[in-house]
């Protein structure tokens, strides 16, 4: 007996572009469609073969380039149909852990807003608000604060994020990373501080998860 393996088929169509709305405003778009057939021998259950995904991003400069302070605002909206398939991974490796996203299916909507300030090319400060919806049972909000400062010898990096999730678990996830580096000729040194604080509570039983710390 020879077991036959059903042939698969994945077709993708992708359109990417940008449009300069003005001297300080830029619009980027990325639209894709997929057709994924898990069994070319059969026409059964072909109603979920097609999927769509799209992303819009708007970048706006809020200050004159000649000023010491440069303010930039970026807003993006991404929607991915649950039936959409891609050859490459759509998400960063840590995406599920970053959002405490566990086996949640459904359409995805991700809204991101970034406000960035650059000062004299030595300081960069970014505040970001992100809202993720997955299906009907998951919604998370994340606040992120990043800052960089550097001169000829010193470099400082700060990354802080606070995540609140309302899903199968009610989650609060705080992450802090602080790095300080010193470089002078052949001398190099650095200090890193990294901390995480995770609290999970079951939405149905209100019991605290063992994964909390």
């Amino acid at each position: 007996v020879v077991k036959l393996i059903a042939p698969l088929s994945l077709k993708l169509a992708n359109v990417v572009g940008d449009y300069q709305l003005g001297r300080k405003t830029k619009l980027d778009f990325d639209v894709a469609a997929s057709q994924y057939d898990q069994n070319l021998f059969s026409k059964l259950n072909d109603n979920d073969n097609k999927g769509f995904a799209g992303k819009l991003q708007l970048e706006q400069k809020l200050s004159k380039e000649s000023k010491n302070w440069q303010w930039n605002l970026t807003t993006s909206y991404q929607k991915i149909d649950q039936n959409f398939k891609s050859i490459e991974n759509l998400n960063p490796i840590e995406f599920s852990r970053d959002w405490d996203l566990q086996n949640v299916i459904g359409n995805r909507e991700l809204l991101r807003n970034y406000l960035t300030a650059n000062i004299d090319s030595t300081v960069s400060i970014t505040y970001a608000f992100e809202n993720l919806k997955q299906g009907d049972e998951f919604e998370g909000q994340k606040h992120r604060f990043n800052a960089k400062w550097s001169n000829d010898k010193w470099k400082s990096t700060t990354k802080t994020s606070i995540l609140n999730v309302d899903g199968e678990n009610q989650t609060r996830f705080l992450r802090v990373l602080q790095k300080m580096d010193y470089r002078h000729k052949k001398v190099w040194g650095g200090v890193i501080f990294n901390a995480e604080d995770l609290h999970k509570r079951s939405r149905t039983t209100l019991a605290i998860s063992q994964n909390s710390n």
Side-chain angles (χ1 to χ4, degrees), residues 127-153:
Y127 167 75
F129 172 77
E130 303 174 344
N131 188 89
L132 175 65
K133 292 183 180 180
Q134 183 92 13
D136 298 325
E137 299 182 355
F138 179 95
E139 183 169 5
Q141 292 86 34
K142 183 186 295 184
H143 300 269
R144 294 197 292 114
F145 174 80
N146 296 338
K148 293 183 180 180
W149 168 84
S150 63
N151 60 20
D152 294 338
K153 298 179 181 179

Side-chain angles (χ1 to χ4, degrees), residues 6-213:
L8 307 176
S9 173
L10 174 59
K11 299 177 182 178
L12 290 171
N14 188 211
V15 178
V16 180
D18 62 77
Y19 182 71
Q20 198 74 34
L21 298 174
R23 191 168 58 87
K24 296 183 178 182
T25 308
K26 181 183 178 184
L27 177 66
D28 296 280
F29 62 88
D30 188 347
V31 182
S34 69
Q35 182 171 332
Y36 178 58
D37 194 336
Q38 301 185 64
N39 187 354
L40 293 178
F41 291 150
S42 173
K43 297 295 183 181
L44 296 176
N45 300 322
D46 280 354
N47 58 327
D48 61 351
N49 286 357
K50 296 181 179 179
F52 300 90
K55 180 180 179 180
L56 288 174
Q57 180 169 292
L58 183 68
E59 299 179 11
Q60 176 69 51
K61 294 182 180 180
L62 304 178
S63 60
K64 296 181 179 179
E65 296 182 357
S66 58
K67 290 187 176 181
N68 294 334
W69 283 71
Q70 296 181 16
W71 294 87
N72 298 304
L73 177 64
T74 302
T75 299
S76 68
Y77 174 76
Q78 180 188 66
K79 185 167 185 178
I80 302 176
D81 184 79
Q82 65 175 345
N83 296 323
F84 179 77
K85 302 294 182 182
S86 177
I87 298 175
E88 299 179 349
N89 193 353
L90 292 173
N91 305 314
I93 297 176
E94 292 288 321
F95 185 85
S96 295
R97 182 175 183 270
D98 288 344
W99 286 95
D100 193 35
L101 195 61
Q102 300 176 354
N103 302 320
V104 181
I105 60 174
N107 299 332
R108 175 182 299 170
E109 295 180 64
L110 178 58
L111 175 67
R112 286 174 165 157
N113 295 292
Y114 298 86
L115 180 62
T116 302
N118 296 310
I119 309 170
D120 292 333
S121 72
T122 60
V123 178
S124 177
I125 302 173
T126 300
Y127 167 75
F129 172 77
E130 303 174 344
N131 188 89
L132 175 65
K133 292 183 180 180
Q134 183 92 13
D136 298 325
E137 299 182 355
F138 179 95
E139 183 169 5
Q141 292 86 34
K142 183 186 295 184
H143 300 269
R144 294 197 292 114
F145 174 80
N146 296 338
K148 293 183 180 180
W149 168 84
S150 63
N151 60 20
D152 294 338
K153 298 179 181 179
W154 294 92
K155 180 179 179 180
S156 174
T157 302
T158 301
K159 295 182 179 181
T160 303
S161 67
I162 301 176
L163 170 67
N164 293 293
V165 169
D166 186 12
E168 180 181 349
N169 296 313
Q170 294 177 336
T171 304
R172 184 181 67 84
F173 191 13
L174 171 64
R175 307 175 78 176
V176 177
L177 172 65
Q178 177 65 54
K179 294 175 62 179
M180 180 68 74
D181 296 327
Y182 175 82
R183 293 178 182 271
H184 181 61
K185 296 182 179 180
K186 297 183 179 181
V187 178
W188 176 90
V191 177
I192 299 177
F193 173 79
N194 195 0
E196 295 183 354
D197 185 32
L198 174 63
H199 291 272
K200 287 187 180 183
R201 185 182 296 271
S202 172
R203 188 176 184 180
T204 54
T205 65
L206 298 181
I208 298 177
S209 171
Q210 294 182 354
N211 292 328
S212 300
N213 54 28

